[in-house]
Amino acid sequence: MTENLDLSILLDSLRQGPLRLLEPLEQEIFCQRVKQYWGDVLRPLTLLYANHPEFDTWLGRFLHIAARAYAKRSPELRLLDFTRLNEPDWFQQSNMVGYVAYPERFSPDHTLNGIAGKIPYLKELGVTYFHLMPLLQPRLGQNDGGYAVMDYRQVKSELGTMADLAGLAGQLRQNDVSLCIDLVCNHTAKEHEWAQKAMAGDPVYQDYYLTFPDRTLPDQYEQTVREIFPEFKAGSFTYYEQMGRWVWTTFNEFQWDLNYSNPAVFAEMLDILLFLANQGVEVLRLDAVAFMWKRMGTDCENQPEAHAILQAFRALSRMAAPGLLLKAEAIVPPPQLVPYLGIGEATNKECEVAYHNVFMVMLWSSLAERKVALMTHALQKMPAIPSSTSWLTYIRCHDDIGWAVTEEDAAAVGLNGYLHRSFLSDFYSGRFEGTFARGATFQFNPKNNDRRISGSLASLAGLEIALEQEDEKAIDLAVRRVILLNAMILAFGGIPLLYMGDELGLLNDPSYLEDPNLANDNRWLHRPWMDWGAAAKRGDEAGVNGRIFQSIRRLIQARKQTCTLHARARTYPVWTHNERVFGLIRESARGRLLALGNFSEWGQAVPRHRLQEMGFGGELVERLNGRALDPYSDIYLEPYQALWLEKQM
Ligand code: GLC
């Protein structure tokens, strides 16, 4: 604790201040939580702001913000908090399945209210977690898919109101579906009130952003930072004539990076975070967290202070809204990624969930190569994650696929990293002869020849070309690929996320080209409008939509019934002695499961003795079709088939 700050005095000021209208028991609950999490609050905030002349005052302010949010939290949400505290592994259980959609593209009438009518559809699929893509008021015109927020306390006007959002969150909760939304905490739109005041010359608000009078510092920073959208703009800074200053803009010119070294920025974001939690949002996806702190001479990503900000958000939100989960969006290499779930002193004290980018990349790499050595090696090297956290597994998301294949991993399996990444870009953009995939190149960077990929799951897996060519065999193989990848993310461990339309095999959607605000960003190729006509055909397994939907639905049902797939179970890839068959063991006190996946269009076998070596001797049961397997024969996998094997109990 800082020298002058006395916790009991602080608690008294909370009781007499923001907590005063609450019953004594309710006041006491909050005070208990303050005592419980005080160390977790102090540790990161000391790193961030200890040198600030008014550090103690700021600490008091942060606690007041948390207390105020707690006092405003509805009885229903307080009850939810207790339910979550009583069952802290709720999001790690195998019944968890996520679905991600743009609200205006999913809702039949393009509003939040229209979404309620589709809850039965989500339930039919087995969804328990629903991520609605950016829905807070963005700037008009281009807004990076809503990631340039102008007002964090308003819902985008075309979608409805904050009350509609709270209503939808409640309806989802009654159906056992948790709502997740984005909180863009690294930057605001340049039209945000703070940015506007900064632009008008207000020094208080200029200190909310990172602005520079000339190019001296920007030039130095640019020696070491990455360019994220090289096709959209060069460099990480933008000059504004009106202000006569350069502003740090990591992403687009209209997205201004916030200055978290100013505690006022932390306080504002904390307040917004808790405001959104009080609308009934259960999971906040914290966008672009890797970039929240800058340090000269580094790439200005994944700095210790960026972690400290998240840890402080977590500890303070645990006081006000302990049911809330924080999800880190950090698409960075494994050694930098795992700390977002907390390491060292902060184990289990940062975000609860984070995207497993490497697994996603490796799935596509294996599919192109028809070999699983690189995936097995890269995943074997992944550090373990803390016990009360979980991965988000996904086949693809609203963003592009960047080929996160390191030189070391490639070399370890006899590949050249650069050439392999080029091969993958060629393969998925359609340049590689004989490819089954149809995708597009996103953000070619001539400085390093980096090419990322856009495209929907089905199109990248071959369905678009196959349908065009009316090639039944190719259609069958494409559908099998889609199902295989789903079986993999459902078995890996963590919350699997299905991206809207992928459950029906929706293809690339070029309609974005007609919208001038979207046309320059081909990520919209794989952010389609929901095709409710295709969804209406989901019962018909003779058609492609129905075959994919029902297969995924059955996979989800199987996952829910397989408690071995709990996120706490250890996940480790194994060599199957067949370079085309990926093997993954899930292991815990709940039992052991071996997931196998054939990443080729040819039938494959895994020798029985190999299974015995891995501790899967004797009679096995296959969870995806309930079949028992005799203890002697080799395991045979059809083209692109996945199997989930467990020992007969
Ligand atoms: C995240 C989002 C991406 C967006 C970027 C800037 O990476 O997923 O869509 O462009 O942040 O906000």
Side-chain angles (χ1 to χ4, degrees):
M1 185 174 313
T2 71
E3 281 159 33
N4 307 321
L5 198 69
D6 182 333
L7 190 55
S8 57
I9 297 177
L10 201 52
L11 290 177
D12 277 343
S13 82
L14 297 178
R15 287 192 190 97
Q16 283 150 29
L19 303 177
R20 71 186 180 285
L21 297 177
L22 299 180
E23 300 290 329
L25 176 63
E26 288 181 315
Q27 293 190 1
E28 202 38 46
I29 289 172
F30 185 81
C31 294
Q32 289 289 337
R33 288 189 195 148
V34 174
K35 290 181 202 155
Q36 183 183 351
Y37 295 114
W38 185 238
D40 296 343
V41 167
L42 216 48
R43 185 174 28 79
L45 288 175
T46 303
L47 176 69
L48 291 167
Y49 306 122
N51 294 332
H52 197 286
E54 289 164 46
F55 181 46
D56 288 356
T57 314
W58 279 110
L59 280 177
R61 279 191 203 150
F62 299 152
L63 278 192
H64 269 72
I65 292 171
R68 217 170 43 226
Y70 170 78
K72 284 196 186 149
R73 197 153 168 85
S74 71
E76 194 196 339
L77 292 175
R78 284 205 202 157
L79 202 58
L80 175 77
D81 290 335
F82 284 106
T83 314
R84 297 306 190 214
L85 288 170
N86 286 336
E87 198 183 5
D89 71 339
W90 67 277
F91 64 97
Q92 299 178 302
Q93 295 171 12
S94 69
N95 71 321
M96 284 301 286
V97 173
Y99 189 87
V100 188
Y102 281 89
E104 60 276 45
R105 293 181 170 232
F106 178 76
S107 171
D109 70 359
H110 315 302
T111 71
L112 289 182
N113 287 335
I115 290 176
K118 292 299 176 190
I119 295 176
Y121 176 80
L122 298 174
K123 298 280 289 179
E124 186 183 328
L125 195 56
V127 170
T128 58
Y129 160 116
F130 188 25
H131 174 192
L132 282 175
M133 294 294 292
L135 48 73
L136 301 177
Q137 185 61 58
R139 75 191 290 269
L140 302 179
Q142 283 192 13
N143 55 37
D144 190 21
Y147 285 104
V149 179
M150 209 170 106
D151 188 344
Y152 292 89
R153 292 173 198 270
Q154 298 285 338
V155 163
K156 186 174 172 180
S157 46
E158 300 91 309
L159 283 173
T161 63
M162 199 45 89
D164 296 340
L165 182 69
L168 177 62
Q171 280 170 300
L172 288 166
R173 193 169 323 108
Q174 277 163 20
N175 283 282
D176 300 316
V177 180
S178 298
L179 176 65
C180 167
I181 70 166
D182 286 82
L183 174 57
V184 188
C185 45
N186 175 66
H187 45 266
T188 73
K190 69 174 177 187
E191 287 76 9
H192 190 285
E193 187 192 341
W194 308 330
Q196 288 295 297
K197 287 184 177 159
M199 188 84 101
D202 184 335
V204 171
Y205 286 93
Q206 280 186 353
D207 199 26
Y208 272 42
Y209 298 93
L210 297 149
T211 73
F212 307 87
D214 55 44
R215 284 291 311 181
T216 316
L217 289 175
D219 281 344
Q220 288 175 32
Y221 279 116
E222 276 183 356
Q223 302 282 317
T224 49
V225 298
R226 276 199 292 159
E227 273 182 298
I228 306 299
F229 289 148
E231 281 183 12
F232 292 163
K233 68 164 175 50
S236 298
F237 300 85
T238 309
Y239 185 69
Y240 291 90
E241 199 76 53
Q242 186 185 343
M243 208 172 27
R245 295 182 77 85
W246 290 86
V247 178
W248 199 309
T249 51
T250 297
F251 294 91
N252 286 286
E253 166 275 319
F254 50 77
Q255 290 160 302
W256 287 18
D257 288 43
L258 285 162
N259 172 20
Y260 277 93
S261 68
N262 177 357
V265 169
F266 179 86
E268 299 267 19
M269 249 334 142
L270 174 68
D271 199 30
I272 291 168
L273 185 150
L274 296 175
F275 167 78
L276 295 173
N278 277 354
Q279 309 305 311
V281 172
E282 296 186 35
V283 186
L284 279 174
R285 175 191 182 277
L286 303 177
D287 182 65
V289 290
F291 301 90
M292 283 196 299
W293 196 274
K294 329 288 183 192
R295 174 168 282 112
M296 184 62 83
T298 71
D299 61 359
C300 297
E301 292 181 48
N302 315 305
Q303 297 298 308
E305 290 85 351
H307 289 284
I309 295 165
L310 296 172
Q311 289 159 22
F313 279 160
R314 156 86 176 249
L316 287 157
S317 64
R318 277 291 159 111
M319 295 173 181
L324 179 75
L325 291 191
L326 298 182
K327 158 161 99 168
E329 191 258 338
I331 308 303
V332 297
Q336 283 83 39
L337 174 58
V338 172
Y340 287 95
L341 297 172
I343 51 164
E345 271 187 308
T347 301
N348 284 325
K349 290 177 176 176
E350 205 165 312
C351 294
E352 284 89 354
V353 283
Y355 291 91
H356 202 320
N357 174 48
V358 174
F359 185 41
M360 185 271 288
V361 166
M362 290 300 154
L363 289 172
W364 290 109
S365 171
S366 308
L367 212 54
E369 232 199 320
R370 279 82 162 175
K371 286 188 188 157
V372 300
L374 181 61
M375 170 152 71
T376 309
H377 173 78
L379 294 175
Q380 278 182 339
K381 272 183 41 200
M382 284 291 292
I385 60 172
S387 57
S388 357
T389 65
S390 172
W391 287 119
L392 294 157
T393 58
Y394 61 118
I395 305 170
R396 59 156 311 111
C397 69
H398 70 289
D399 281 329
D400 48 286
I401 305 176
W403 301 117
V405 175
T406 64
E407 305 304 329
E408 301 77 36
D409 287 349
V413 296
L415 295 170
N416 171 294
Y418 174 79
L419 293 178
H420 187 62
R421 290 192 298 272
S422 300
F423 157 68
L424 293 172
S425 297
D426 286 344
F427 191 91
Y428 287 107
S429 63
R431 293 185 191 192
F432 187 83
E433 211 181 310
T435 181
F436 50 73
R438 169 139 327 145
T441 303
F442 179 71
Q443 302 291 329
F444 169 55
N445 188 343
K447 291 182 196 152
N448 54 14
N449 278 336
D450 190 35
R451 286 175 288 146
R452 285 131 71 180
I453 292 293
S454 292
S456 77
L457 163 56
S459 291
L460 293 181
L463 191 59
E464 190 166 336
I465 293 180
L467 286 172
E468 226 167 67
Q469 297 177 344
E470 297 179 19
D471 179 340
E472 285 303 325
K473 172 106 182 28
I475 293 173
D476 176 61
L477 290 177
V479 170
R480 284 168 180 261
R481 287 184 199 105
V482 168
I483 298 167
L484 168 70
L485 296 187
N486 276 286
M488 293 293 108
I489 62 161
L490 286 160
F492 187 84
I495 307 177
L497 297 181
L498 277 72
Y499 196 75
M500 188 197 82
D502 286 350
E503 77 279 18
L504 295 164
L506 294 193
L507 306 177
N508 289 339
D509 179 356
S511 66
Y512 75 99
L513 290 168
E514 288 148 34
D515 183 338
N517 286 325
L518 309 182
N520 74 338
D521 186 344
N522 69 18
R523 290 176 296 175
W524 290 100
L525 197 60
H526 55 259
R527 301 168 179 174
W529 292 90
M530 183 56 169
D531 184 346
W532 288 110
K537 294 190 241 153
R538 66 188 180 277
D540 173 15
E541 288 205 51
V544 165
N545 303 129
R547 185 171 159 208
I548 294 180
F549 185 93
Q550 296 305 336
S551 304
I552 294 179
R553 199 181 59 81
R554 281 192 291 269
L555 287 174
I556 290 174
Q557 295 312 320
R559 170 181 156 94
K560 288 183 191 250
Q561 285 155 18
T562 309
C563 66
T564 358
L565 295 178
H566 191 287
R568 276 195 194 168
R570 209 177 135 214
T571 298
Y572 60 98
V574 282
W575 296 102
T576 60
H577 288 191
N578 180 327
E579 63 176 359
R580 307 201 190 277
V581 179
F582 181 59
L584 186 76
I585 293 184
R586 304 296 318 280
E587 186 172 81
S588 70
R590 293 177 178 82
R592 297 176 85 232
L593 179 143
L594 172 67
L596 296 176
N598 175 4
F599 276 75
S600 78
E601 56 266 65
W602 311 287
Q604 298 294 325
V606 175
R608 194 60 187 219
H609 70 83
R610 181 65 192 125
L611 262 70
Q612 268 150 13
E613 283 165 10
M614 295 189 285
F616 286 85
E619 209 161 278
L620 298 174
V621 62
E622 205 284 300
R623 288 286 167 211
L624 293 176
N625 54 27
R627 232 169 3 120
L629 301 179
D630 74 68
Y632 313 108
S633 321
D634 293 342
I635 304 292
Y636 177 78
L637 294 104
E638 289 177 17
Y640 296 117
Q641 190 179 14
L643 299 173
W644 294 354
L645 303 171
E646 273 190 315
K647 280 186 78 140
Q648 261 317 6
M649 288 299 194

